[in-house]
mmCIF file of all heavy atoms in Angstrom:
data_model
loop_
_atom_site.group_PDB
_atom_site.id
_atom_site.type_symbol
_atom_site.label_atom_id
_atom_site.label_comp_id
_atom_site.label_asym_id
_atom_site.label_seq_id
_atom_site.Cartn_x
_atom_site.Cartn_y
_atom_site.Cartn_z
ATOM 1 N N PRO A 46 187.997 10.097 107.543
ATOM 2 C CA PRO A 46 189.320 10.637 107.407
ATOM 3 C C PRO A 46 189.621 11.627 108.559
ATOM 4 O O PRO A 46 188.675 12.226 109.073
ATOM 5 C CB PRO A 46 189.273 11.394 106.077
ATOM 6 C CG PRO A 46 188.060 10.861 105.335
ATOM 7 C CD PRO A 46 187.118 10.386 106.406
ATOM 8 N N THR A 47 190.867 11.757 108.904
ATOM 9 C CA THR A 47 191.248 12.732 109.923
ATOM 10 C C THR A 47 191.379 14.092 109.223
ATOM 11 O O THR A 47 192.061 14.211 108.237
ATOM 12 C CB THR A 47 192.623 12.328 110.527
ATOM 13 O OG1 THR A 47 192.502 11.028 111.101
ATOM 14 C CG2 THR A 47 193.057 13.313 111.611
ATOM 15 N N PRO A 48 190.703 15.110 109.774
ATOM 16 C CA PRO A 48 190.836 16.447 109.145
ATOM 17 C C PRO A 48 192.258 16.895 109.063
ATOM 18 O O PRO A 48 193.071 16.588 109.966
ATOM 19 C CB PRO A 48 190.006 17.342 110.059
ATOM 20 C CG PRO A 48 189.085 16.430 110.833
ATOM 21 C CD PRO A 48 189.841 15.103 110.929
ATOM 22 N N VAL A 49 192.585 17.683 108.040
ATOM 23 C CA VAL A 49 193.957 18.188 107.908
ATOM 24 C C VAL A 49 193.906 19.700 108.112
ATOM 25 O O VAL A 49 192.856 20.332 107.986
ATOM 26 C CB VAL A 49 194.543 17.828 106.533
ATOM 27 C CG1 VAL A 49 194.573 16.323 106.345
ATOM 28 C CG2 VAL A 49 193.818 18.494 105.375
ATOM 29 N N SER A 50 195.078 20.319 108.404
ATOM 30 C CA SER A 50 195.018 21.706 108.830
ATOM 31 C C SER A 50 194.964 22.749 107.725
ATOM 32 O O SER A 50 194.210 23.716 107.832
ATOM 33 C CB SER A 50 196.176 22.031 109.810
ATOM 34 O OG SER A 50 197.354 21.751 109.182
ATOM 35 N N ALA A 51 195.668 22.565 106.647
ATOM 36 C CA ALA A 51 195.666 23.617 105.613
ATOM 37 C C ALA A 51 195.910 22.984 104.233
ATOM 38 O O ALA A 51 196.988 23.063 103.643
ATOM 39 C CB ALA A 51 196.763 24.620 105.904
ATOM 40 N N PRO A 52 194.882 22.320 103.660
ATOM 41 C CA PRO A 52 195.069 21.588 102.430
ATOM 42 C C PRO A 52 195.355 22.520 101.247
ATOM 43 O O PRO A 52 194.692 23.579 101.080
ATOM 44 C CB PRO A 52 193.761 20.827 102.195
ATOM 45 C CG PRO A 52 192.771 21.603 103.039
ATOM 46 C CD PRO A 52 193.481 22.184 104.164
ATOM 47 N N VAL A 53 196.324 22.133 100.413
ATOM 48 C CA VAL A 53 196.635 22.885 99.188
ATOM 49 C C VAL A 53 196.744 21.878 98.059
ATOM 50 O O VAL A 53 197.496 20.889 98.109
ATOM 51 C CB VAL A 53 198.017 23.584 99.330
ATOM 52 C CG1 VAL A 53 198.411 24.259 98.015
ATOM 53 C CG2 VAL A 53 197.946 24.664 100.420
ATOM 54 N N LEU A 54 195.985 22.176 96.982
ATOM 55 C CA LEU A 54 196.006 21.302 95.847
ATOM 56 C C LEU A 54 197.313 21.535 95.066
ATOM 57 O O LEU A 54 197.592 22.626 94.609
ATOM 58 C CB LEU A 54 194.787 21.642 94.931
ATOM 59 C CG LEU A 54 194.627 20.838 93.637
ATOM 60 C CD1 LEU A 54 194.294 19.350 93.964
ATOM 61 C CD2 LEU A 54 193.530 21.474 92.771
ATOM 62 N N VAL A 55 198.082 20.420 94.874
ATOM 63 C CA VAL A 55 199.264 20.521 94.078
ATOM 64 C C VAL A 55 198.971 20.269 92.622
ATOM 65 O O VAL A 55 199.377 20.954 91.712
ATOM 66 C CB VAL A 55 200.366 19.527 94.581
ATOM 67 C CG1 VAL A 55 201.567 19.521 93.670
ATOM 68 C CG2 VAL A 55 200.767 19.874 96.025
ATOM 69 N N ALA A 56 198.145 19.227 92.376
ATOM 70 C CA ALA A 56 197.799 18.895 91.002
ATOM 71 C C ALA A 56 196.587 17.969 90.962
ATOM 72 O O ALA A 56 196.294 17.288 91.973
ATOM 73 C CB ALA A 56 198.966 18.218 90.330
ATOM 74 N N TYR A 57 195.935 17.935 89.853
ATOM 75 C CA TYR A 57 194.842 16.997 89.625
ATOM 76 C C TYR A 57 195.047 16.395 88.230
ATOM 77 O O TYR A 57 195.737 17.023 87.361
ATOM 78 C CB TYR A 57 193.461 17.641 89.748
ATOM 79 C CG TYR A 57 193.237 18.776 88.810
ATOM 80 C CD1 TYR A 57 192.784 18.540 87.497
ATOM 81 C CD2 TYR A 57 193.527 20.106 89.174
ATOM 82 C CE1 TYR A 57 192.618 19.592 86.598
ATOM 83 C CE2 TYR A 57 193.369 21.179 88.258
ATOM 84 C CZ TYR A 57 192.919 20.907 86.990
ATOM 85 O OH TYR A 57 192.777 21.953 86.090
ATOM 86 N N SER A 58 194.425 15.237 88.024
ATOM 87 C CA SER A 58 194.466 14.645 86.660
ATOM 88 C C SER A 58 193.139 14.944 85.977
ATOM 89 O O SER A 58 192.120 14.457 86.457
ATOM 90 C CB SER A 58 194.680 13.123 86.770
ATOM 91 O OG SER A 58 194.220 12.511 85.607
ATOM 92 N N LYS A 59 193.217 15.729 84.931
ATOM 93 C CA LYS A 59 191.957 16.064 84.265
ATOM 94 C C LYS A 59 191.287 14.838 83.662
ATOM 95 O O LYS A 59 190.071 14.751 83.550
ATOM 96 C CB LYS A 59 192.133 17.203 83.256
ATOM 97 C CG LYS A 59 193.048 16.837 82.094
ATOM 98 C CD LYS A 59 193.183 18.018 81.140
ATOM 99 C CE LYS A 59 194.155 17.637 80.029
ATOM 100 N NZ LYS A 59 194.567 18.781 79.189
ATOM 101 N N GLU A 60 192.129 13.873 83.246
ATOM 102 C CA GLU A 60 191.571 12.633 82.657
ATOM 103 C C GLU A 60 190.847 11.774 83.675
ATOM 104 O O GLU A 60 189.762 11.226 83.440
ATOM 105 C CB GLU A 60 192.647 11.785 81.967
ATOM 106 C CG GLU A 60 193.340 12.459 80.741
ATOM 107 C CD GLU A 60 194.429 13.405 81.121
ATOM 108 O OE1 GLU A 60 194.754 13.538 82.297
ATOM 109 O OE2 GLU A 60 195.039 14.033 80.204
ATOM 110 N N ALA A 61 191.518 11.624 84.848
ATOM 111 C CA ALA A 61 190.833 10.839 85.927
ATOM 112 C C ALA A 61 189.570 11.569 86.363
ATOM 113 O O ALA A 61 188.547 10.928 86.697
ATOM 114 C CB ALA A 61 191.793 10.618 87.092
#
Side-chain angles (χ1 to χ4, degrees):
T47 302
V49 303
S50 57
V53 174
L54 180 67
V55 175
Y57 58 86
S58 157
K59 62 181 179 191
E60 294 85 1

